[in-house]
Amino acid sequence: VIPCNASGTNTISLTPLDSSPLIEGYVDHEVYVFAAAATSTGDVTMNVVTRSGALSTVKAYKTGGSAQASTGDVVSGSLYLAVYNDALDGGNGGFVLK
């Protein structure tokens, strides 16, 4: 589990804490934990900002990956686990929010 600071409303950027392992890309089943900075007001996407720059922006999903997270699905101050899944979005990958 990789602890992160989060920023953004509908595009959530996750910045791993300094104590986190070196991240070079998305890995299937990798888990990021964060407290939401804002409540979502539309479709939610996410990216991870590594020490060498931001990774690609991918969709965030709710209900186990069956629907994209949207308005009100992410609530400011709430704690979330974001689990990366390569198979989502037609193989483009995405995060399942828990």
Side-chain angles (χ1 to χ4, degrees):
V1 176
I2 301 169
C4 299
N5 290 317
S7 62
T9 301
N10 297 329
T11 298
I12 300 171
S13 293
L14 301 178
T15 303
L17 302 182
D18 289 339
S19 61
S20 298
L22 180 63
I23 299 166
E24 297 178 353
Y26 293 125
V27 176
D28 206 21
H29 307 128
E30 199 157 54
V31 179
Y32 298 85
V33 62
F34 67 97
T39 298
S40 58
T41 60
D43 289 344
V44 179
T45 58
M46 300 176 72
N47 67 357
V48 173
V49 180
T50 69
R51 294 178 187 138
S52 59
L55 301 179
S56 61
T57 300
V58 296
K59 293 177 183 175
Y61 292 84
K62 59 182 182 176
T63 58
S66 64
Q68 186 173 2
S70 191
T71 303
D73 289 327
V74 175
V75 178
S76 179
S78 294
L79 188 66
Y80 293 93
L81 296 174
V83 182
Y84 185 76
N85 182 339
D86 280 334
L88 291 172
D89 196 24
N92 291 318
F95 286 102
V96 175
L97 296 175
K98 301 275 185 185

